[in-house]
Amino acid sequence: MQITAKLIQILPLQTGVSRNGEWKKQDIVVETTDRFPKKICVSIWGDKIQPSQLNPGNTFTIDFDIDSREFNGRWYNDVKAWKVEPVDAANNTTAPPVINDPGFPEPPPPPLPTDEPDDLPF
């Protein structure tokens, strides 16, 4: 999956040692650029962390997977990024979202220009 979102918070770097060796994880909170923005906590693992690029306010394209696991009868979700790229603001053009929902019908197209004068009496 992929989202484009603005970085709003960097959480503390977490490190540790497991049976597979040392690990590090950086959690960030981003806000989507949708019509109704959502905040998402994304985990960046290992060598994918580039602290010099993580500046609050910057926009990123994030490719990620969602993983769920059960612990003591409760389910927990992880959003794990596998690619994080900054969006180039100079080349980023934002268009209004396209809504293809029956609850939000598309507006009618604008009338076509004609060469004929308007012959309506009012």
Side-chain angles (χ1 to χ4, degrees):
M1 300 176 89
Q2 184 181 69
I3 59 169
T4 299
K6 180 174 71 170
L7 178 61
I8 58 174
Q9 186 176 6
I10 301 171
L11 301 176
L13 181 68
Q14 300 174 33
T15 60
V17 178
S18 69
R19 66 178 176 208
N20 295 331
E22 290 186 30
W23 57 268
K24 61 182 178 176
K25 177 178 94 163
Q26 179 71 64
D27 287 334
I28 60 173
V29 180
V30 296
E31 186 172 55
T32 62
T33 58
D34 299 330
R35 182 174 177 194
F36 300 105
K38 304 277 190 269
K39 292 181 181 165
I40 304 168
C41 182
V42 179
S43 298
I44 307 170
W45 286 87
D47 61 347
K48 294 170 187 63
I49 301 168
Q50 296 179 355
S52 62
Q53 291 184 349
L54 296 179
N55 297 316
N58 288 359
T59 302
F60 295 90
T61 299
I62 302 170
D63 294 290
F64 63 94
D65 292 322
I66 299 175
D67 184 32
S68 298
R69 66 189 185 292
E70 185 266 336
F71 180 72
N72 288 340
R74 297 196 60 180
W75 283 88
Y76 299 89
N77 298 318
D78 283 328
V79 179
K80 296 179 182 179
W82 49 271
K83 184 177 177 185
V84 179
E85 293 182 325
V87 173
D88 183 9
N91 294 330
N92 184 23
T93 58
T94 57
V98 177
I99 302 172
N100 293 327
D101 184 8
F104 295 98
E106 291 185 25
L112 297 173
T114 62
D115 293 338
E116 298 177 12
D118 188 11
D119 60 350
L120 295 175
F122 51 91

